Amino acid sequence: MGKRAAGFVLFRRLCGEIQYLLLKASYGDFHWSAPKGHVDPGEDDFTTALRETKEEAGFDEKDLIIYRDTPLTLNYEVKGKPKVVIYWLAELRNPNQEVILSEEHTELKWLPKDAAKECVGFKDNQVMIEKFHEMILNMDKNRTNCGCP
Ligand SMILES: Nc1ncnc2c1ncn2[C@@H]1O[C@H](COP(=O)(O)OP(=O)(O)OP(=O)(O)OP(=O)(O)OP(=O)(O)OC[C@H]2O[C@@H](n3cnc4c(N)ncnc43)[C@H](O)[C@@H]2O)[C@@H](O)[C@H]1O
């Protein structure tokens, strides 16, 4: 049986810049990733994403604007076994809200898109960040073009 995990690609807008949150693992190869974690038995993916984001970054659902209809999935192998990770896009409502790290991570970074892609390293993760970024830009464009006063 493969592993299943879920989380959020979290972004904030600070000084006109879109920045993505990445956390550095305190174990293994000390890789960087968005907040996410293992789906517990009987738990649905979205509940896992919320729980892990609270555990790993300190954010509650009310702290986030969540784009629930457009999750993206990564599939890769860890130690020879398939792993599926479902990510939702979410914006931090208060860009100055502090991240509270758990023991699972030692560092955090808020990075603009290209630096975030470089930091995660894995091609599929880079493609995901690019797709989410496009979504944000498109939503911003639609908001500007809505004809509202
Ligand atoms: N390896 C470990 N050693 C010791 N304790 C551990 C551990 N992993 C978790 N724990 C501990 O287990 C407990 C439960 O954690 P919990 O968070 O509940 O469960 P988990 O499934 O271990 O959580 P994650 O999915 O976040 O784990 P991960 O960071 O290993 O996964 P990732 O896929 O990023 O990364 C897994 C591997 O895949 C690689 N990888 C990441 N993304 C990709 C990708 N897109 N393509 C290919 N490889 C990738 C990473 O570099 C890494 O090597 C915690 O206390 C935690 O500290």
Side-chain angles (χ1 to χ4, degrees), residues 74-92:
L74 299 188
N75 290 275
Y76 50 92
E77 283 199 353
V78 180
K79 293 179 186 152
K81 291 198 176 142
K83 179 166 183 177
V84 178
V85 189
I86 299 98
Y87 284 103
W88 282 268
L89 179 67
E91 178 174 1
L92 188 59

Side-chain angles (χ1 to χ4, degrees), residues 8 32 39 78 90 101:
F8 284 103
W32 290 83
V39 178
V78 180
L101 289 180

Side-chain angles (χ1 to χ4, degrees), residues 3-6 25-40 51-52 55-56 74-79 83-85 87 102-105 120-126:
K3 255 186 130 179
R4 190 173 182 90
S26 58
Y27 49 82
D29 55 4
F30 309 110
H31 58 290
W32 290 83
S33 71
K36 56 112 180 57
H38 181 68
V39 178
D40 285 342
R51 177 178 56 73
E52 291 284 347
E55 288 173 10
E56 296 188 350
L74 299 188
N75 290 275
Y76 50 92
E77 283 199 353
V78 180
K79 293 179 186 152
K83 179 166 183 177
V84 178
V85 189
Y87 284 103
S102 70
E103 287 180 357
E104 290 178 45
H105 299 99
V120 296
F122 299 103
K123 182 71 191 162
D124 58 348
N125 206 328
Q126 294 175 335

Side-chain angles (χ1 to χ4, degrees), residues 126-142:
Q126 294 175 335
V127 170
M128 174 178 70
I129 291 171
E130 195 66 53
K131 283 185 182 167
F132 276 141
H133 196 76
E134 279 295 310
M135 274 173 46
I136 297 167
L137 297 185
N138 282 334
M139 286 187 294
D140 287 353
K141 203 161 49 176
N142 290 340

